[in-house]
Amino acid sequence: MTASDSAAPRTSNITVRRGDPLVVLSGVQKHYGDFHALKDIDLTVHRGEVVVVIGPSGSGKSTLCRTINRLETITSGTITIDGQELPREGRALAALRADVGMVFQSFNLFSHLTILENVTLGPVKVKKMRKADAEREARTLLERVGVAAQASKLPAQLSGGQQQRVAIARALAMQPKVMLFDEPTSALDPEMITEVLEVMTSLAESGMTMIVVTHEMGFARKAADRVVFMADGQIVEEAAPEQFFTSPQSDRAKDFLSKLLAH
């Protein structure tokens, strides 16, 4: 990113564009029976951009996140990643999923594998990387997220914050084009939240494309290029963080923020 890019003006629907469109959702609808979970979602995330998705519980944030690697199938519309539409199933879907790192609310580590084995499993099995190369890469990533000393331990021997940092390293080991975070700190104690958010902020600063569903407004202010506010399955508003938090345009966003400030 050049100095002129970083100085680019930010208005309600303009953010610093670091690169070409990487994730594009167009007319995305999602129904669960009669329940309309996502309503005509249009969203473009550019390469190197950090988009934070916020909103009240039940607004469709996590559903939106999970459609991007087809953990949730959409009813209609299209989702493309790096110009390729998401396949419905099979090897093509598996290959595209390898480009999309996902970090969940629960850590989803394999309890019977060591930390090092958890991180190397994907590169060895999916990317057919040599075990020695995968282990070298994994140790570098574990160092990056601050848990290199835990490599030989089992997940149960780590704190929740450490496990979530391992989950981030595991996702990074696949060298994804985009990272999805679905409320990655909501299951953590307050002191552990900070250590995970620090890793995520560092990742954002390194230029990783990120879509983050979170209730952590401090992270949104600090790390996001753009805040997307959802309510009732729709994108109600999107803006640069400073504009969104200081002068939200919609009544729904104003109400949401006023309730946050009241706590």
Side-chain angles (χ1 to χ4, degrees):
M1 190 166 69
T2 66
S4 61
D5 287 333
S6 62
R10 297 181 177 203
T11 59
S12 62
N13 287 309
I14 300 172
T15 187
V16 176
R17 302 302 190 201
R18 299 187 180 179
D20 53 317
L22 181 62
V23 179
V24 180
L25 290 81
S26 181
V28 169
Q29 310 273 357
K30 171 66 179 177
H31 290 84
Y32 295 102
D34 293 334
F35 178 63
H36 201 173
L38 294 177
K39 304 171 183 174
D40 202 26
I41 299 291
D42 292 316
L43 178 67
T44 298
V45 178
H46 292 73
R47 203 177 303 273
E49 189 179 14
V50 178
V51 172
V52 172
V53 184
I54 64 173
S57 296
S59 59
K61 307 183 300 293
S62 289
T63 303
L64 173 68
C65 191
R66 292 168 68 86
T67 62
I68 295 171
N69 65 353
R70 211 174 272 287
L71 284 174
E72 297 280 1
T73 56
I74 59 177
T75 307
S76 60
T78 60
I79 300 174
T80 61
I81 296 172
D82 210 6
Q84 282 187 285
E85 190 169 343
L86 271 183
R88 296 209 171 272
E89 56 192 21
R91 288 184 178 178
L93 177 57
L96 201 61
R97 272 190 179 150
D99 288 336
V100 183
M102 182 101 188
V103 178
F104 300 88
Q105 182 175 335
S106 53
F107 322 123
N108 290 8
L109 299 176
F110 290 107
S111 60
H112 65 292
L113 298 180
T114 67
I115 297 310
L116 187 65
E117 289 167 342
N118 264 282
V119 178
T120 58
L121 188 65
V124 170
K125 296 288 187 185
V126 179
K127 297 219 164 189
K128 308 303 180 189
M129 190 183 285
R130 288 176 58 243
K131 186 178 178 184
D133 293 337
E135 288 187 352
R136 186 169 60 250
E137 283 288 314
R139 289 184 188 281
T140 299
L141 288 169
L142 290 171
E143 180 77 40
R144 182 176 176 183
V145 301
V147 288
Q150 318 299 330
S152 62
K153 293 182 179 177
L154 293 171
Q157 295 174 279
L158 273 61
S159 70
Q162 289 173 323
Q163 288 188 60
Q164 192 62 294
R165 285 184 281 158
V166 172
I168 293 171
R170 179 182 58 181
L172 290 173
M174 296 297 286
Q175 301 175 326
K177 293 177 180 177
V178 57
M179 287 277 284
L180 308 177
F181 294 84
D182 186 10
E183 302 200 9
T185 59
S186 60
L188 300 176
D189 293 333
E191 68 271 18
M192 295 177 188
I193 290 173
T194 301
E195 62 192 49
V196 172
L197 291 177
E198 283 174 355
V199 170
M200 291 170 61
T201 301
S202 171
L203 201 55
E205 290 169 350
S206 75
M208 172 62 73
T209 309
M210 297 166 60
I211 301 170
V212 184
V213 174
T214 186
H215 293 288
E216 297 296 331
M217 299 302 133
F219 174 81
R221 277 183 177 247
K222 183 177 181 180
D225 292 301
R226 183 164 33 132
V227 172
V228 171
F229 175 73
M230 291 186 70
D232 303 319
Q234 296 174 292
I235 293 177
V236 175
E237 187 171 342
E238 50 183 301
E242 199 54 37
Q243 176 163 346
F244 178 79
F245 287 110
T246 56
S247 55
Q249 302 300 299
S250 64
D251 289 340
R252 288 304 305 270
K254 289 173 185 174
D255 182 55
F256 176 75
L257 290 172
S258 70
K259 286 175 179 172
L260 281 182
L261 294 171
H263 284 287

